[in-house]
Amino acid sequence: MKRMNKWLLSLTLLLMAMLFGFAKAPEVKAAETSSVTTQVEALVISVSSKGFKPSKGNYLRIKAVVADSQSPVTVRLRIYNSKGKYVYQKSYKNVYGGFIDLKWNGKASKNNTAGLKAKKYVGKGKYKVEIYVYSGDSYGKKTKSFKVSSSAASGTKGLAAAKTVPILSGYAEVDYLAEVACKSAGIKSSMSDDEKVRRIYHWMTKNYKHVHYDERSGYKAKYNLTKLKKKIAAYKTKTDKKYAKGKLIYNYSSTAYYELTNMVYRYGVCDDHAAIFKILCNHAGVEAGVCTGYYLNRNGTKASHAWNYAIVNGKTYYYDVDVEIQNYGKGQGDYYWYKKTKAQAKKTHEFYTIS
């Protein structure tokens, strides 16, 4: 009875203290009241074994994946020096999730806390990339270290020496078919980027057909996704493990998902072939993208068109596998529109966008 009275007295005193401001109610940390809904899934840096040397024509490739969220968040990318001061900062606002890709030229940004003059190359030493995601009720962070070294290759040689990781779409069926295609083309990780691109270009030239949408009835699928279900699932498990270890990255490209049917049937038009060429190159660890604009016909007319660029040995070249597919076997020969410089490309192609 006495123990009960003491308990009641203590509770009464506590309530009175809280009421009149003599004591504060116990605080509950935010992490205990709200769930973390947005995080950084992956962060990779393409850099050579000797590090990164800021120089004209060279850049550090930073890729990150932000998990999907129900509300928009802000993503902040910072590069810190060894003293914990940031030399570079960039923010991405109203992000719902997705792939972030930055080519940093090694120059300091405005208002950096390291006291460096903006647009000046940073000095040698150890640095850390930080991707930080935040909003009202969600957050996440991931970091990756690298070094800036005067002994690293500069310019395009620096790009050529940088280690790249495969970029997969994140869609199991697309990535599995891309893996099958690359294996069929004889792609090996030990090959140079130039050889990888050459084999992908040749394989698509021989195995894909230029078929318009209204002409596709009667074509048979090259793959049965239902029968391949177990193999696709096993491959997805394998790539997820590599993704978690930073050995590859997903870009969750919606364009890649839309190309699944064309990859199953191995047909398409210029837009499809350009998208698939990019998928295969990225899958093999080669930076590539899609160019859109017009093809300049010999009779003076021009038609809407799509083709590709790929970075080989630190230099950008252009490839039009769709033109090759359409004319292969018609006396044109293979590699007709392969590995062109920008000046060569402009003779037959009018550029509009590059992505």
Side-chain angles (χ1 to χ4, degrees), residues 236-248:
K236 177 65 173 174
T237 299
K238 182 180 177 181
T239 57
D240 282 348
K241 289 180 179 178
K242 289 183 177 181
Y243 176 69
K245 294 179 180 179
K247 293 183 177 181
L248 58 82

Side-chain angles (χ1 to χ4, degrees), residues 8-242:
L8 290 172
L9 178 61
S10 298
L11 179 61
T12 301
L13 291 172
L14 177 62
L15 291 173
M16 290 178 67
M18 291 173 60
L19 180 64
F20 292 98
F22 298 117
K24 293 182 179 180
E27 293 184 354
V28 179
K29 294 180 179 179
E32 297 174 344
T33 59
S34 63
S35 60
V36 178
T37 57
T38 303
Q39 293 188 11
V40 185
E41 289 187 5
L43 170 62
V44 297
I45 302 173
S46 298
V47 64
S48 73
S49 58
K50 292 185 178 181
F52 170 61
K53 184 176 182 179
S55 51
K56 186 178 180 180
N58 193 14
Y59 54 79
L60 188 73
R61 193 73 178 272
I62 302 169
K63 307 183 189 75
V65 179
V66 178
D68 289 335
S69 62
Q70 297 300 316
S71 57
V73 300
T74 297
V75 180
R76 187 190 69 197
L77 186 156
R78 278 183 176 176
I79 300 176
Y80 292 91
N81 61 19
S82 59
K83 294 181 180 180
K85 303 293 185 179
Y86 72 84
V87 299
Y88 180 86
Q89 174 176 281
K90 183 174 183 179
S91 294
Y92 303 80
K93 297 181 179 180
N94 297 320
V95 177
Y96 283 87
F99 188 60
I100 291 175
D101 190 353
L102 175 69
K103 296 177 180 179
W104 182 52
N105 58 9
K107 294 181 179 180
S109 61
K110 294 181 179 179
N111 303 318
N112 64 82
T113 59
L116 299 177
K117 189 175 182 179
K119 296 185 179 181
K120 292 292 183 180
Y121 290 128
V122 302
K124 62 181 180 180
K126 293 182 178 180
Y127 291 82
K128 178 175 68 176
V129 175
E130 176 193 78
I131 300 291
Y132 185 70
V133 179
Y134 58 95
S135 71
D137 61 352
S138 57
Y139 61 91
K141 182 175 74 172
K142 194 175 284 287
T143 62
K144 199 89 172 181
S145 299
F146 69 97
K147 65 179 180 180
V148 171
S149 173
S150 57
S151 63
S154 62
T156 56
K157 291 183 179 179
L159 290 180
K163 295 180 180 177
T164 58
V165 299
I167 302 176
L168 276 61
S169 72
Y171 301 106
E173 294 87 352
V174 173
D175 293 334
Y176 177 78
L177 294 184
E179 178 70 7
V180 170
C182 286
K183 283 187 175 180
S184 179
I187 304 295
K188 296 181 180 179
S189 59
S190 59
M191 290 178 175
S192 66
D193 287 351
D194 192 25
E195 180 63 15
K196 290 176 182 177
V197 175
R198 189 187 71 81
R199 286 174 177 263
I200 289 170
Y201 185 93
H202 180 70
W203 186 85
M204 283 194 67
T205 298
K206 291 187 66 177
N207 291 281
Y208 270 75
K209 301 291 184 183
H210 182 92
V211 182
H212 288 274
Y213 299 101
D214 58 350
E215 301 172 339
R216 296 184 177 182
S217 60
Y219 277 84
K220 293 183 179 180
K222 301 294 182 180
Y223 305 101
N224 187 320
L225 296 182
T226 302
K227 290 183 178 180
L228 292 171
K229 190 174 182 179
K230 289 184 177 180
K231 289 185 177 181
I232 293 171
Y235 183 71
K236 177 65 173 174
T237 299
K238 182 180 177 181
T239 57
D240 282 348
K241 289 180 179 178
K242 289 183 177 181

Side-chain angles (χ1 to χ4, degrees), residues 310-330:
I311 296 180
V312 175
N313 296 326
K315 296 181 180 180
T316 303
Y317 294 99
Y318 299 88
Y319 306 79
D320 195 333
V321 70
D322 181 70
V323 168
E324 197 78 59
I325 290 169
Q326 292 189 65
N327 293 281
Y328 182 68
K330 296 180 180 179

